[in-house]
Amino acid sequence: MGSPLRLGRREFGAHEPVIMAIVNRTPDSFYDQGATFRDEPALARVEQAVAEGAAIIDIGGVKAGPGEEVTAVEEARRTVGFVTEVRRRFPDVVISVDTWRHEVGEAVCEAGADLLNDAWGGVDPKLAEVAARYGAGLVCTHAGGAEPRTRPHRIAYEDVMADILRVTVGLAERAVELGVPRESVLIDPGHDFGKNTRHSLEATRRLGEMAATGWPVLVSLSNKDFVGETLDRPVKERVLGTLATTAVSAWLGAQVYRVHEVAETRQVLDMVATIAGHREPAVARRGLA
């Protein structure tokens, strides 16, 4: 890892693991089936996530998978007012919005968002221009060229990590050329996006190659299909597999973790950081008392 990561009002050291908590403003999200679609439970979720150690709140208005069409107007309706309220209540939290559309990016940045999480790999090239104009951060993701909200079908790579590096570093360099602050750009291998389970496993195994680029690496592992297929577990039984993958990713140099389970992830990241020598034990009495 290189220089500090700067997002919104926050600066994170090169070895400081950062949790990004997922807050879905959708009625049909794969994990919680709309539990935070309404404002009150969504705001309660933000409060809990911040209390448990999340520094970033990632707000999404469209579920990643196939489903009912959501227009840009509807996506903005679900996210913009909520961004405004989160910014009012939590002035220091980093607000991220998971969108691929520049129109939505513009509206949420105007409302106070600090980071645009482009999970679909630059499918709308104007989104990076919006980030540059507002001085917002940008997540540059590998999605294998997939169209938004589609599932991969018999996708193949000669070398999946080579493709991930080519795409994400290319998107990151373009963003900086457009004027996005270099210290606010992250790269994401895009687990499950345009990939089968073996691709996502290989991306995890070779994550050190991404960290070696010097760009901060974000991973979105939480309860995903590659975890479920690896262990043959349904969505609600993937937490242990997710945490194991989180620990491996942390050891290999990822910095930001997009998650559902904040408290559990915090413990895993603190443990790995302490083993790696980047954090002191919270208490060290054994053999000394």
Side-chain angles (χ1 to χ4, degrees):
M1 295 185 204
S3 56
L5 172 65
R6 292 187 178 89
L7 299 170
R9 299 183 182 184
R10 303 288 297 274
E11 180 176 303
F12 305 98
H15 294 290
E16 182 178 353
V18 182
I19 294 178
M20 170 190 271
I22 300 165
V23 179
N24 290 313
R25 303 310 318 280
T26 61
D28 54 357
S29 58
F30 91 101
Y31 184 68
D32 59 26
Q33 292 79 52
T36 53
F37 184 48
R38 289 171 43 250
D39 286 350
E40 291 75 17
L43 287 165
R45 160 72 176 158
V46 173
E47 187 170 3
Q48 178 186 7
V50 171
E52 291 178 345
I56 307 172
I57 300 297
D58 191 48
I59 299 163
V62 185
K63 82 171 198 172
E68 185 179 335
E69 182 187 358
V70 180
T71 65
V73 171
E74 174 60 17
E75 184 185 356
R77 189 191 70 78
R78 294 176 179 183
T79 54
V80 175
F82 189 68
V83 168
T84 301
E85 185 61 15
V86 172
R87 173 53 67 230
R88 186 183 74 81
R89 294 195 189 193
F90 304 92
D92 294 326
V93 78
V94 177
I95 299 177
S96 168
V97 175
D98 181 352
T99 186
W100 74 88
R101 293 167 164 148
H102 76 273
E103 306 97 324
V104 177
E106 184 114 32
V108 296
C109 283
E110 195 67 41
D114 305 300
L115 177 65
L116 297 176
N117 181 12
D118 181 9
W120 290 102
V123 69
D124 180 347
K126 291 182 180 178
L127 189 66
E129 297 171 18
V130 170
R133 194 156 60 249
Y134 283 89
L138 184 69
V139 180
C140 300
T141 308
H142 180 273
E147 286 295 310
R149 307 194 67 195
T150 61
R151 298 197 190 281
H153 180 68
R154 299 192 182 280
I155 193 163
Y157 298 95
E158 200 169 305
D159 181 331
V160 68
M161 182 50 75
D163 205 71
I164 288 169
L165 291 171
R166 177 184 63 80
V167 170
T168 59
V169 171
L171 289 170
E173 289 175 346
R174 174 180 180 267
V176 172
E177 287 170 9
L178 288 169
V180 180
R182 187 179 185 88
E183 63 273 17
S184 304
V185 176
L186 304 100
I187 59 174
D188 177 354
H191 288 81
D192 276 1
F193 281 61
K195 297 171 190 67
N196 62 30
T197 288
R198 294 184 188 279
H199 294 143
S200 293
L201 291 169
E202 182 172 351
T204 306
R205 188 162 56 246
R206 297 174 62 186
L207 207 61
E209 294 175 46
M210 293 190 77
T213 66
W215 297 99
V217 177
L218 180 150
V219 287
S220 184
L221 312 167
S222 197
N223 302 293
K224 283 197 165 176
D225 284 348
F226 82 97
V227 175
E229 288 195 355
T230 298
L231 301 176
D232 193 17
R233 289 288 185 271
V235 171
K236 292 296 185 179
E237 296 178 19
R238 297 175 184 175
V239 175
L240 289 176
T242 297
L243 294 175
T245 313
T246 298
V248 170
S249 300
W251 191 256
L252 293 175
Q255 183 169 14
V256 181
Y257 302 81
R258 183 178 180 272
V259 306
H260 297 98
E261 287 82 20
V262 175
E264 295 88 340
T265 302
R266 181 79 269 161
Q267 286 192 47
V268 169
L269 295 177
D270 285 351
M271 193 72 205
V272 174
T274 308
I275 293 169
H278 304 314
R279 174 187 179 273
E280 288 296 314
V283 177
R285 290 189 293 261
R286 181 173 173 80
L288 301 174

